[in-house]
């Protein structure tokens, strides 16, 4: 029964992550192209880290069951463990870069192009998993990973014919931003997974350690990148209800990412994001006037097949080898 609950819980997390990823991408694109007054993306990233920290504190109180126990846990793992705090500053820095690159990319690329191209993080994550966690992938998994890459490439082999978005964009800058985000996503995700599974420390304590560093890093980013403009126009300049939705989705997505990393693995998380391609592209057709092509339909089919193939259970080679050995012994004795 426990395994059944665990399976359903994993499925629930992956479905929610898919919906959040699709909605977040389309909403962010909408706020960066429709509004005439652009907000400072660095401030949005900083606020997202603050919200994640607050949510993690609430979850830690719920987990410990008492405010005093929560306080004792924070003292032990935050104030008395500076080395652990420093260890989690690595993924927080990399995630900060990734999140800011996401804003740059979606300011210059369509949501569908972004969603598809961003799936190149999956082979990057797979490579980091093998190198950093010493985890092996089956031949079927490797094949499905590269099949997915081929599928997402095919989806955008013929770019959409038209769009309702009429803003100046730099596609090259957008692709460079995605490339940086892909590398950051692969490394930071696997690094955080390694830290989580190397000790019994609470997931929410680890989140708090990472978000504390993240707030410091992103606030420095605000000062360095938009400091003068923020002082002149204000921290919340250009904020609209849709911007608040983007920040909320980014916060919830970050929390769910932590849960999924804890109970599944980063590659499976990547495949759930790949499924968001379909949803985000449909939304882009409605909101931005994208024209679906035959190559898109073919590529989407390939992506769905690769997701199914990756989910297939691994073949137990030990039993097969044992059976072959017994058969050989029987033949030899005859």
């Amino acid at each position: 029964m426990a395994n059944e609950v665990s399976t359903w819980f994993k499925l629930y997390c992956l479905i929610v992550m898919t919906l959040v990823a699709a909605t977040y991408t389309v909403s962010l694109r909408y706020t960066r192209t429709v509004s005439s007054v652009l907000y400072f993306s660095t401030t949005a990233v900083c606020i997202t880290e603050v919200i994640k920290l607050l949510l993690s504190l609430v979850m830690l109180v719920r987990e410990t069951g008492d405010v005093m126990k929560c306080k004792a846990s924070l003292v032990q793992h935050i104030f008395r463990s500076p080395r652990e705090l420093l260890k989690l500053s690595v993924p927080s820095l990399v995630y900060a870069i990734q999140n800011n690159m996401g804003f740059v990319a979606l300011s210059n690329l369509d949501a569908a192009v972004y969603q598809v191209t961003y799936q190149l993080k999956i082979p990057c994550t797979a490579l980091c998993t093998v190198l950093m966690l010493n985890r092996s992938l089956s031949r079927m998994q490797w094949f499905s990973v590269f099949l997915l890459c081929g599928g997402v490439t095919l989806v955008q082999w013929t770019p959409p014919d038209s769009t309702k978005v009429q803003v100046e964009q730099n596609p090259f800058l957008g692709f460079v931003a995605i490339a940086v985000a892909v590398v950051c996503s692969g490394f930071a995700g696997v690094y955080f997974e390694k830290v989580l599974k190397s000790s019994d420390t609470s997931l929410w304590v680890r989140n708090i350690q990472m978000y504390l560093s993240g707030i410091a890093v992103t606030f420095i980013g605000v000062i360095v990148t938009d400091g003068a403009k923020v002082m002149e126009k204000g921290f919340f300049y250009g904020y609209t209800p849709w911007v608040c939705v983007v920040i909320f989705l980014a916060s919830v997505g970050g929390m769910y990412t932590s849960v999924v990393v804890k109970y599944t693995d980063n590659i499976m998380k990547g495949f759930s994001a790949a499924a968001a391609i379909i949803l985000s592209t449909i939304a882009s057709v409605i909101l931005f006037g994208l024209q679906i092509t035959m190559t898109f339909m073919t590529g989407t089919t390939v992506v769905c097949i690769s997701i199914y193939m990756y989910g297939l259970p691994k073949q137990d080679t030990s039993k097969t080898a044992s059976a072959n050995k017994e058969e050989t012994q029987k033949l030899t004795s005859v």
Side-chain angles (χ1 to χ4, degrees), residues 213-233:
S213 302
I215 292 173
V217 170
T218 54
F219 186 71
I220 292 174
V222 173
I223 296 175
V224 173
T225 306
D226 300 310
K229 296 180 181 178
V230 169
M231 290 295 294
E232 176 186 355
K233 300 180 179 180

Side-chain angles (χ1 to χ4, degrees), residues 286-297:
I286 298 173
L287 295 175
F288 309 123
L290 293 181
Q291 302 295 318
I292 298 179
T293 62
M294 182 58 65
T295 53
F296 170 80
M297 296 296 294

Side-chain angles (χ1 to χ4, degrees), residues 14 17-26 98 102 105-106 109-127 141-156 174-175 177-187 265-281 296 299-300 302-304 306-307 310:
L14 293 174
M17 274 205 66
T18 300
L19 295 175
V20 169
T23 309
Y24 170 75
T25 301
V26 175
Q98 174 194 337
L106 281 167
L109 295 174
D110 182 79
V113 177
Y114 171 86
Q115 191 72 270
V116 170
T117 310
Y118 191 64
Q119 300 315 308
L120 294 177
K121 68 180 180 179
I122 296 176
C124 182
T125 301
L127 182 60
Q141 286 177 317
W142 276 118
F143 178 74
S144 61
V145 164
F146 288 105
L147 183 65
L148 177 61
C149 292
V152 296
T153 301
L154 187 61
V155 164
Q156 289 301 324
F175 279 112
I178 288 184
V180 175
V182 163
V183 175
C184 290
S185 175
F187 172 77
D265 60 67
N266 272 276
I267 302 177
M268 188 62 76
K269 179 194 70 177
F271 276 99
S272 72
I277 293 174
I278 302 173
L279 298 178
S280 61
T281 305
F296 170 80
T300 301
V302 173
V303 169
C304 293
S306 66
I307 294 174
Y310 182 82

Side-chain angles (χ1 to χ4, degrees), residues 110 125 176 209 262 275 293 311 320 327:
D110 182 79
T125 301
V176 171
Q209 291 173 332
K262 180 68 175 180
T293 62
T320 305
E327 186 67 24

Side-chain angles (χ1 to χ4, degrees), residues 18 25 34 58 98 104 178 195 198 209 228 232 244 315 326:
T18 300
T25 301
V34 175
V58 171
Q98 174 194 337
V104 174
I178 288 184
V195 172
S198 63
Q209 291 173 332
E232 176 186 355
C244 295
Q315 182 180 1
E326 291 179 2

Side-chain angles (χ1 to χ4, degrees), residues 158-176:
T158 302
D161 295 332
S162 63
T163 179
K164 296 178 182 178
V165 177
Q166 302 294 332
V167 294
E168 185 178 354
Q169 300 177 95
N170 186 339
F172 178 75
L173 178 60
F175 279 112
V176 171

Side-chain angles (χ1 to χ4, degrees), residues 58-124:
V58 171
M59 295 304 297
L60 182 60
V61 171
R62 181 180 179 182
E63 182 180 75
T64 56
D66 184 80
V67 176
M68 296 307 297
K69 290 181 180 179
C70 176
K71 180 181 177 181
S73 179
L74 291 176
V75 171
Q76 178 184 354
H77 293 97
I78 304 297
F79 299 102
R80 296 180 181 176
S81 302
R83 181 176 298 180
E84 292 298 309
L85 194 61
L86 183 62
K87 184 190 300 184
L88 269 298
S89 66
V90 175
S92 65
L93 172 61
V94 179
Y95 274 132
I97 297 174
Q98 174 194 337
N99 293 333
N100 279 286
M101 288 299 101
F103 277 88
V104 174
L106 281 167
S107 298
N108 293 279
L109 295 174
D110 182 79
V113 177
Y114 171 86
Q115 191 72 270
V116 170
T117 310
Y118 191 64
Q119 300 315 308
L120 294 177
K121 68 180 180 179
I122 296 176
C124 182

